[in-house]
Amino acid sequence: MALIVQKYGGTSVGSVDRIKNVAKRVKAWTDAGHQVVVAVSAMSGETNRLLGLAKDITSAPSERELDMVVSTGEQVTIGLLSMALHEIGQDAMSLTGWQAGMKTDTVHAKARIEAIEADRINTALSNGKVVIVAGFQGINEQGDITTLGRGGSDTTAVALAAALKADECQIYTDVDGVYTTDPRVEPKARKMDLITFEEMLEMASQGAKVLQIRSVEFASKYSVPLRVLSSLEDIRSFDEPGGTLICSEELFEEKNMEQPLISGIAFNRDEAKITINGVPDKPGIAYTILGQVADSNIEVDMIIQNTGHDDTTDFTFTVHRNDYQKTMDIVKPLAESMGAREISGDESIVKVSLVGVGMRSHAGIASQMFSALADESINIQMISTSEIKVSVVIAEKYLELAVRTLHKSFNLESE
Ligand code: ADP
Ligand code: ASP
Ligand code: MG
């Protein structure tokens, strides 16, 4: 008998029929002799709808109240799934984040899980129940509801698996695994059977939303076997459930898999670019601009400062699109007070990244990438590299073309 944590995302619980199907799948696992803890998301579109309601009231809601509102979507699905299980003769109990002992820090909208007091879950499990936990939510030390950031139910599931020492954490979604790139953008993308934590973390960090970044960090830190698989397909086998297993480098090598040069292409449509032209080229400029941005809790991703000429320089950086206006409001008066020539912004950019641990030991990946993009006349606006990724910022209208071009250029469709 294994203990399995399963997570079902928005599409997987997007209708009453889908919830009934999830119930059947969960029951099949318990019938096969396993204990199951389930984490669920809100029905697809529901979290956005709730955010929209708040926005119709105010453009600057209290973060505490916003979490109060957006966390409700998950409360509906846990109750419905529990009822669906009762209907087919499986004992089950739903728990909200606080009932499940999901303790977080106090940062609303992107809280971190600090501990899980799992007594109630354990008691229910030992009484033969399936336990269904609301994803995405927790409770802070003041007793207030917090949420874990968009896509946070993945992290709920992995944290539960770590705390309960589960044998596996299965993330059920609307694709049957992790692909070399988003199969919605490149239908020729190839499903991977295995990917290392490190590569998955980089893919998620660069925008592959199939898993929330923190869920991968958590799984890596606590060595939780993590699998992504489809909720829309029949169960293949309880011993070999298929999908994509995210695993340690050791296991990867044990399976005699050769590390590919490039494991995938990720992209991020959520960024915006701000450029300040003609700022004085003197010490402290980057700090003056970015220090204030950071003090406002705005995360800066890419940064470029050009070589100065005529005692001035140009400075460009990217932030999340949601933070664009707020950042402009901070930076505009600063730029003016510094005597900058011009400040401009662009919200129609995307970041496309090549990811692969194999590139550590190979030169020429970046130049192949730039040449492939140049052949399609795609202009590169910004570049950043790390040991295992190369990212470029390009105009949004070229996203699909860029992804498909790179996918082909790096031969990702074939094994
Ligand atoms: P859920 O609601 O189940 O959490 P998400 O929409 O968050 O589902 O994640 C699944 C989606 O992630 C897929 O439908 C797919 O479009 C997208 N995706 C992006 N990159 C990848 C990738 N490399 N492999 C698989 N899916 C990806
Ligand atoms: N419902 C939340 C969201 O839409 C959390 C999740 O689905 O993982 O972001
Ligand atoms: Mg998701």
Side-chain angles (χ1 to χ4, degrees), residues 194-200 220 223 245-260 356-358 360 387-388:
L194 281 179
I195 181 171
T196 62
F197 285 122
E198 191 183 12
E199 282 171 303
M200 190 63 235
S220 169
S223 301
L245 185 67
I246 297 110
C247 67
S248 65
E249 239 161 277
E250 293 79 58
L251 183 68
F252 197 92
E253 277 157 20
E254 246 173 58
K255 302 243 173 193
N256 279 329
M257 301 275 295
E258 205 183 309
Q259 281 284 7
V357 295
R360 249 185 215 135
E387 265 199 312
I388 65 164

Side-chain angles (χ1 to χ4, degrees), residues 161-386:
L164 300 169
K165 299 194 170 46
D167 294 280
E168 187 164 287
C169 180
Q170 301 175 340
I171 307 287
Y172 286 91
T173 183
D174 53 6
V175 281
D176 62 348
V178 179
Y179 280 71
T180 45
T181 192
D182 189 339
R184 285 178 211 281
V185 168
E186 173 51 286
K188 290 186 191 142
R190 177 174 50 82
K191 183 177 85 73
M192 293 177 267
D193 294 333
L194 281 179
I195 181 171
T196 62
F197 285 122
E198 191 183 12
E199 282 171 303
M200 190 63 235
L201 189 59
E202 197 67 47
M203 288 282 280
S205 305
Q206 299 310 322
K209 289 185 179 148
V210 60
L211 285 173
Q212 199 200 30
I213 305 169
R214 277 190 192 159
S215 71
V216 188
E217 278 170 358
F218 229 104
S220 169
K221 188 167 168 193
Y222 295 100
S223 301
V224 175
L226 180 60
R227 192 184 291 278
V228 174
L229 59 181
S230 169
S231 69
L232 309 172
E233 288 174 4
D234 292 342
I235 297 175
R236 188 185 296 187
S237 123
F238 297 104
D239 300 323
E240 301 274 343
T244 300
L245 185 67
I246 297 110
C247 67
S248 65
E249 239 161 277
E250 293 79 58
L251 183 68
F252 197 92
E253 277 157 20
E254 246 173 58
K255 302 243 173 193
N256 279 329
M257 301 275 295
E258 205 183 309
Q259 281 284 7
L261 202 55
I262 305 294
S263 43
I265 302 168
F267 52 83
N268 190 341
R269 302 179 205 252
D270 296 337
E271 291 195 22
K273 185 178 86 168
I274 293 174
T275 303
I276 311 168
N277 293 110
V279 280
D281 191 12
K282 60 179 192 197
I285 287 298
Y287 172 69
T288 310
I289 299 169
L290 296 182
Q292 297 232 15
V293 173
D295 288 348
S296 307
N297 266 327
I298 296 170
E299 239 174 84
V300 172
D301 182 18
M302 277 173 154
I303 307 168
I304 289 183
Q305 187 181 332
N306 293 345
T307 322
H309 50 86
D310 303 334
D311 293 331
T312 67
T313 186
D314 301 332
F315 195 84
T316 305
F317 61 96
T318 62
V319 292
H320 195 284
R321 265 186 218 178
N322 291 348
D323 291 327
Y324 174 72
Q325 206 45 55
K326 195 171 160 194
T327 312
M328 270 294 196
D329 293 345
I330 295 168
V331 171
K332 237 184 193 157
L334 278 177
E336 278 161 15
S337 69
M338 284 187 292
R341 197 171 59 244
E342 189 187 13
I343 174 160
S344 57
D346 188 352
E347 288 185 88
S348 52
I349 54 138
V350 288
K351 184 174 71 169
V352 178
S353 308
L354 274 182
V355 174
V357 295
M359 72 171 80
R360 249 185 215 135
S361 50
H362 281 80
I365 298 290
S367 63
Q368 185 181 337
M369 179 184 196
F370 304 153
S371 125
L373 295 173
D375 286 347
E376 294 296 334
S377 305
I378 299 173
N379 186 39
I380 299 173
Q381 303 178 11
M382 299 172 84
I383 300 170
S384 92
T385 63
S386 79

